[in-house]
Amino acid sequence: SRGSRKARLWLHIYLHMLAPGFDLVPRLIGRKGCNMKKIADQTKAKIRIRGRGSGHLEADGQREAPAPLMVAVTTDRLHEEGFR
């Protein structure tokens, strides 16, 4: 039920940047996910890259989300300071 779910903060940052020769997604992720892990450890927020061009396949395992490329940031309300 909805009453038993944790309250979460979330934010989508849409990535409209196009720069020839600069591949943003691998730089955000880092080698073996090291950049994403470092962000999560320091902020207690979960960072995910979603949308067209992310390489992340949705639950059906067949296609990316039909949304613009974005960074999705989520955290529990208990970690509000790290979310800022």
Side-chain angles (χ1 to χ4, degrees):
S1 80
R2 289 174 75 68
S4 64
R5 293 178 66 180
K6 287 184 180 180
R8 300 191 58 81
L9 299 171
W10 60 270
L11 171 74
H12 291 162
I13 303 167
Y14 291 95
L15 306 172
H16 300 289
M17 186 179 106
L18 293 176
F22 183 79
D23 199 358
L24 180 62
V25 172
R27 289 185 182 253
L28 283 172
I29 295 171
R31 189 169 292 198
K32 296 185 179 181
C34 69
N35 294 342
M36 302 291 263
K37 290 175 190 171
K38 192 180 296 183
I39 292 168
D41 289 345
Q42 291 182 7
T43 65
K44 306 298 184 235
K46 184 173 183 177
I47 311 297
R48 294 166 296 161
I49 301 172
R50 295 291 187 264
R52 291 186 298 274
S54 67
H56 174 78
L57 301 180
E58 291 300 308
D60 64 8
Q62 296 180 11
R63 60 190 168 104
E64 296 172 336
L69 185 62
M70 72 179 86
V71 174
V73 182
T74 59
T75 192
D76 294 335
R77 285 204 182 266
L78 297 175
H79 299 115
E80 186 173 338
E81 285 302 313
F83 190 73
R84 296 178 185 181

